[in-house]
Amino acid sequence: MAERILIVEDEKSIARVLELELTYEGYETGVAHTGAEGLIQFRENDWNLILLDLMLPEIHGLDVLKRIRTSDSGIPVILLTAKSDVKDKVAGLDLGANDYITKPFEIEELLARIRACLRLSSGTSSNDSYRFGNLEMNETTRAVSRNGRSIELTPREFDLLLYLMKHPQQVLSREQVLNAVWGFDYYGDTNVIDVYIRYLRKKIDAGEVSTYIQTVRGVGYVLKEQTNEAEK
């Protein structure tokens, strides 16, 4: 059965292009041109993923996302935004969006992000074990290895990596990471995140041909594979 994607986009020309491209790729699609219509379609049909524009008439995209997350915490949502202001992107991620892409975008990149989100939603872990590429970790035994090489982590490094492994391919804001790993009552230097990210990179990327923890400037971090030639 084909996976079903709901496109919530007020610019009809963009929505039509997305509909045609996704249909060509084998997906079933639905289209809504307002926030209110998007919520109706979300509630009345089953979807595997939602492409959600932020600047929507009737109901703003962030409010649509908030309402979606009150009833469904699992469906992948990718934000479509023309804004360069990171505040909207961070707000969307904090509200539970899985990813975002800024207009104008290449359709190949969007398709790759869709595939990544769908893989994640189908489940990539079992019980207390997690795997990303050739990196593996077990939450109970606290064992970590990459490509068969055992990796020793401090408790804080382990907790940070575990949080990333539980949200692969998802851009996580610095606030999300800080609250999840250090706690809501942490009032120390927020640069501690950067320090521990560097520690993790040294340990898990040593001798490997690709890196797994990437920086998203102005937002936070994402567990995503890149070759060592690419910028970390």
Side-chain angles (χ1 to χ4, degrees):
M1 182 181 295
E3 290 168 304
R4 308 186 75 241
I5 297 177
L6 174 61
I7 304 163
V8 188
E9 166 62 66
D10 67 315
E11 294 186 50
K12 293 185 178 181
S13 59
I14 294 178
R16 181 56 177 163
V17 169
L18 290 173
E19 183 181 19
L20 291 172
E21 292 285 352
L22 291 172
T23 300
Y24 179 78
E25 293 294 323
Y27 299 107
E28 292 184 11
T29 62
V31 178
H33 298 300
T34 70
E37 184 185 352
L39 283 173
I40 292 172
Q41 290 232 38
F42 162 70
R43 290 166 180 158
E44 293 184 351
N45 299 280
D46 292 325
W47 306 100
N48 299 104
L49 184 140
I50 298 174
L51 296 178
L52 178 63
D53 185 36
L54 284 184
M55 303 304 294
L56 293 170
E58 298 183 5
I59 303 176
H60 191 274
L62 290 179
D63 292 321
V64 173
L65 174 61
K66 189 183 300 183
R67 297 184 193 187
I68 289 173
R69 282 294 177 247
T70 60
S71 59
D72 191 327
S73 61
I75 185 170
V77 177
I78 298 177
L79 302 180
L80 308 176
T81 174
K83 288 192 171 184
S84 58
D85 189 349
V86 299
K87 290 183 179 179
D88 282 330
K89 298 171 184 176
V90 171
L93 294 170
D94 285 342
L95 287 172
N98 298 79
D99 202 352
Y100 68 85
I101 190 166
T102 303
K103 303 175 188 176
F105 51 80
E106 295 292 335
I107 190 65
E108 290 81 6
E109 180 183 1
L110 178 60
L111 291 172
R113 290 174 183 264
I114 289 171
R115 289 192 295 268
C117 283
L118 290 173
R119 283 197 302 269
L120 173 60
S121 67
S122 67
T124 57
S125 64
S126 60
N127 299 324
D128 55 359
S129 296
Y130 298 86
R131 180 184 181 92
F132 183 84
N134 58 10
L135 178 64
E136 298 178 77
M137 69 188 307
N138 186 287
E139 189 172 5
T140 300
T141 64
R142 301 184 76 84
V144 180
S145 65
R146 182 170 180 185
N147 206 20
R149 170 178 58 88
S150 180
I151 301 172
E152 295 294 328
L153 299 180
T154 67
R156 187 73 74 185
E157 290 168 352
F158 183 91
D159 292 343
L160 176 55
L161 181 59
L162 180 63
Y163 183 61
L164 294 171
M165 291 282 278
K166 286 183 175 180
H167 302 84
Q169 307 285 358
Q170 180 177 338
V171 178
L172 302 167
S173 71
R174 293 170 59 84
E175 183 180 11
Q176 284 177 296
V177 175
L178 195 65
N179 289 339
V181 180
W182 277 266
F184 288 93
D185 56 350
Y186 177 79
Y187 295 106
D189 188 352
T190 58
N191 288 334
V192 68
I193 301 174
D194 305 313
V195 173
Y196 275 86
I197 288 291
R198 285 198 299 271
Y199 291 162
L200 276 180
R201 283 173 171 159
K202 276 188 175 182
K203 292 184 177 182
I204 70 174
D205 294 335
E208 300 291 338
V209 297
S210 60
T211 62
Y212 281 165
I213 304 174
Q214 317 305 329
T215 299
V216 181
R217 286 195 178 95
V219 182
Y221 301 96
V222 58
L223 189 68
K224 181 176 69 174
E225 185 171 12
Q226 286 188 4
T227 61
N228 278 325
E229 289 77 16
E231 181 180 341
K232 297 181 185 179

